[in-house]
Amino acid sequence: MRIYIARDYKDLSRKAANIISAQVIMKPDCVLGLATGSSPIGAYKQLVEWYEKGDLDFSEVRTVNLDEYKGLTGDNKESYRYFMNTNLFDHVNIDKANTNVPNGMAKNTEAECRRYNELIRSLGGIDLQLLGIGRNGHIGFNEPEEAFEKETHVVALTQSTIEANSRLFDDPDDVPRYALTMGIKSIMQARRVLLIASGEDKADAIHKSLFGPVTPHVPASILQMHNNLTVVADKAALSSCGKELEDAANKEGFYVDL
Ligand code: GLP
């Protein structure tokens, strides 16, 4: 596990964008696993800037997003498809046909989940999976559970997630109660994982996920088992990890950029 400590959100966004752009430069037709939420917005902005300067080319890049709300169409401004279009895809030279988000409007959600699993397989798996983290340690929409869900599935959102995400909706009652999400196995099969976290309200989730026991009650804790995990977090998000970070800096298998 490599941990990079960012000064602030701007620094975090730049570091994350650097890692993503390195992937695009090294493998122009790479498969990027993408995430939504507030955390990656700054990194997407930075990627757009570098694209505009002529430093990045997305023409061959393929993408798969982690999740989508059930019942929202792609043109609903709260949907994750809309988020991806407006924050990234509309501003770079990516072929929209190569961008994938689960279909929240699918009548048969089970079939849609199977289609999404097949799609990830047919793309040859994910080269780099970008992840944010929920306050309860969720990744994608893999909520705390008794067991890790493996592949794409439908999930009932927890109250904590509904509340946290209601800030993005005009009316909090509009937050969908269900979502489709890639499962833990699909995430863990990505060749490289980049986890980003910003702000004090993520400190507990980050502490438990990086240094606590690996448990489905903290879904992101499974990332400790990934052999190519990079974490970029700001000081606030790492504020509960002080001692563990110092210890980790001297441990095999860790690189901490203190
Ligand atoms: C949502 C998304 C997650 C995201 C999380 C945290 O629930 N499904 O992929 O990581 O929110 O979002 P934020 O970055 O806004 O805190």
Side-chain angles (χ1 to χ4, degrees):
M1 183 190 312
R2 291 186 206 85
I3 305 176
Y4 294 91
I5 306 170
R7 284 188 302 281
D8 49 28
Y9 181 71
K10 191 157 190 243
D11 187 31
L12 173 150
S13 301
R14 237 182 124 74
K15 286 185 161 73
N18 259 306
I19 295 168
I20 299 165
S21 55
Q23 175 66 68
V24 173
I25 290 164
M26 286 191 300
K27 189 177 175 193
D29 63 346
C30 64
V31 177
L32 296 179
L34 297 177
T36 53
S38 314
S39 307
I41 290 179
Y44 292 153
K45 230 184 192 156
Q46 181 65 79
L47 290 173
V48 170
E49 254 178 56
W50 286 335
Y51 163 75
E52 285 169 350
K53 274 193 184 160
D55 291 341
L56 278 176
D57 176 12
F58 288 87
S59 59
E60 291 178 63
V61 170
R62 283 94 40 88
T63 67
V64 279
N65 259 78
L66 281 168
D67 47 13
E68 179 60 284
Y69 287 114
K70 184 167 153 53
L72 298 192
T73 56
D75 56 7
N76 183 314
K77 71 183 191 4
E78 319 292 0
S79 75
Y80 285 169
R81 161 52 80 180
Y82 186 89
F83 174 102
M84 288 312 303
N85 287 347
T86 50
N87 282 288
L88 183 65
F89 301 153
D90 286 345
H91 310 290
V92 296
N93 65 336
I94 200 161
D95 179 350
K96 283 257 179 78
N98 288 336
T99 68
N100 301 282
V101 180
N103 177 7
M105 294 303 289
K107 285 213 177 70
N108 182 341
T109 43
E110 295 305 318
E112 172 58 10
C113 291
R114 280 196 301 277
R115 182 193 72 84
Y116 212 67
N117 292 332
E118 250 332 293
L119 170 82
I120 298 169
R121 272 192 279 276
S122 71
L123 291 171
I126 298 164
D127 290 299
L128 172 67
Q129 177 65 56
L130 174 64
L131 295 176
I133 186 168
R135 291 180 202 167
N136 59 4
H138 76 245
I139 44 178
F141 270 131
N142 290 274
E143 296 278 30
E145 290 284 357
E146 292 307 315
F148 291 113
E149 282 277 352
K150 297 177 189 117
E151 297 196 297
T152 311
H153 59 285
V154 180
V155 67
L157 303 179
T158 62
Q159 199 49 37
S160 141
T161 300
I162 292 168
E163 277 162 24
N165 291 2
S166 66
R167 70 185 194 283
L168 305 166
F169 285 75
D170 294 337
D171 180 347
D173 287 341
D174 289 347
V175 186
R177 270 34 185 177
Y178 294 90
L180 280 72
T181 183
M182 234 189 243
I184 293 293
K185 181 173 163 194
S186 326
I187 294 171
M188 288 297 283
Q189 282 179 338
R191 289 182 264 284
R192 184 167 194 187
V193 174
L194 171 60
L195 173 68
I196 58 174
S198 169
E200 182 102 47
D201 61 335
K202 301 292 171 67
D204 185 49
I206 282 290
H207 181 240
K208 288 184 179 145
S209 301
L210 303 188
F211 299 109
V214 174
T215 161
H217 295 291
V218 183
S221 64
I222 191 78
L223 299 174
Q224 292 177 46
M225 313 293 265
H226 197 282
N227 65 10
N228 198 343
L229 170 66
T230 302
V231 181
V232 181
D234 61 17
K235 286 186 180 146
L238 286 165
S239 55
S240 301
C241 300
K243 188 178 155 347
E244 285 92 342
L245 282 179
E246 276 173 39
D247 292 350
N250 303 311
K251 252 193 220 157
E252 210 179 310
F254 277 91
Y255 170 80
V256 184
D257 186 29
L258 286 171

